[in-house]
Amino acid sequence: MPTPRTDRAPARLVVLVSGGGTNLQALLDATADPAYGARVVAVGADRDGIEGLARADKADVPTFVARVKDYTSREHWDHALADKVAAFDPDLVVLAGFMKLVGPDFIARYGGRTVNTHPALSPSFPGMHGPADALAYGVKVTGCTLFVVDAGVDTGPIVAQSAVPVLDDDSVDTLHERIKVAERAMLTEFVGRMAREGFTITDRKVRFGTP
Ligand code: GAR
């Protein structure tokens, strides 16, 4: 969604989740304020029975599920996922703890307006185990990154980052929980800005506002 809607209608967010959905909840809470400039119009998941879907249901937000195993190939799943997202006509797609890589078809349709939140400071520790990898490496500072999704693994243009300390007695869980506190604040602040101000991407640099 490079430019804000001229009619000032709230931007339409579709949020994809795979688990507990605390980042989704932060967005649901933030979007309850009309001044936020966006609303969650649907929540999708790659699996059933997760807390993230229950949170959406509780907030009266429609849900959908696209499971890889229900399709004959990863490409068919990717196409179906993009179709399910398209049914809700989003301005911005937010991957909030979505533990699948979206594929070429999805990116062809929603590239440039899909963001993902990753629990590490990119380009360090990409992939599924950001907090564990940071802890194992012994870094003293880690954090979270909001980025515009591209074809790589956590490689897209960076919208925002937030740093958190790694403490001597951290476990993966305590570190990840500390990251998630920063992540929820980052996600709500910067998705709101993307919705209200619009943004451009030039040479990997994400800037707010219209050109
Ligand atoms: C978040 O920390 C998010 O960055 C991470 O999963 C967590 C979801 O928490 N995503 C990834 O690691 C994606 N590679 P939540 O379900 O409580 O929002």
Side-chain angles (χ1 to χ4, degrees), residues 14 16 27 92-96 106 110 112-117 146-149 157 159 187 190-191 194 199:
V14 169
L16 301 184
L27 280 174
L92 196 63
V93 181
V94 181
L95 311 188
F106 192 98
Y110 288 103
R113 52 190 174 126
T114 298
V115 292
N116 191 6
T117 177
L146 181 68
F147 63 96
V148 179
V149 172
V159 178
L187 186 69
F190 286 92
V191 166
M194 293 173 100
F199 61 97

Side-chain angles (χ1 to χ4, degrees), residues 113-150:
R113 52 190 174 126
T114 298
V115 292
N116 191 6
T117 177
H118 177 61
L121 288 175
S122 298
S124 295
F125 312 121
M128 303 284 282
H129 309 290
D133 293 344
L135 196 63
Y137 196 91
V139 295
K140 301 299 187 191
V141 175
T142 184
C144 48
T145 302
L146 181 68
F147 63 96
V148 179
V149 172
D150 67 7

Side-chain angles (χ1 to χ4, degrees), residues 14-195:
V14 169
V15 183
L16 301 184
V17 296
S18 295
T22 66
N23 281 283
L24 164 66
Q25 188 66 55
L27 280 174
L28 289 169
D29 294 345
T31 54
D33 179 354
Y36 186 75
R39 64 192 180 98
V40 180
V41 295
V43 172
D46 63 331
R47 62 199 76 185
D48 297 308
I50 55 171
E51 179 66 15
L53 290 173
R55 289 177 191 274
D57 192 46
K58 201 169 167 188
D60 282 331
V61 172
T63 62
F64 59 88
V65 174
R67 303 185 304 178
V68 172
K69 67 182 178 187
D70 291 336
Y71 298 88
T72 51
S73 70
R74 188 81 181 204
E75 289 71 27
H76 288 179
W77 169 79
D78 186 52
H79 187 85
L81 179 69
D83 281 347
K84 286 173 187 275
V85 166
F88 293 95
D89 188 25
D91 296 300
L92 196 63
V93 181
V94 181
L95 311 188
F98 189 60
M99 302 307 251
K100 291 279 187 306
L101 284 179
V102 294
D105 195 31
F106 192 98
I107 289 170
R109 290 157 79 178
Y110 288 103
R113 52 190 174 126
T114 298
V115 292
N116 191 6
T117 177
H118 177 61
L121 288 175
S122 298
S124 295
F125 312 121
M128 303 284 282
H129 309 290
D133 293 344
L135 196 63
Y137 196 91
V139 295
K140 301 299 187 191
V141 175
T142 184
C144 48
T145 302
L146 181 68
F147 63 96
V148 179
V149 172
D150 67 7
V153 179
D154 302 325
T155 52
I158 292 172
V159 178
Q161 293 184 298
S162 182
V164 304
V166 180
L167 305 183
D168 286 348
D169 58 354
D170 264 336
S171 65
V172 173
D173 286 346
T174 60
L175 178 58
H176 197 176
E177 285 307 312
R178 189 176 310 114
I179 291 168
K180 283 170 64 168
V181 172
E183 200 171 20
R184 291 188 283 266
M186 175 188 72
L187 186 69
T188 51
E189 177 180 351
F190 286 92
V191 166
R193 287 194 63 186
M194 293 173 100

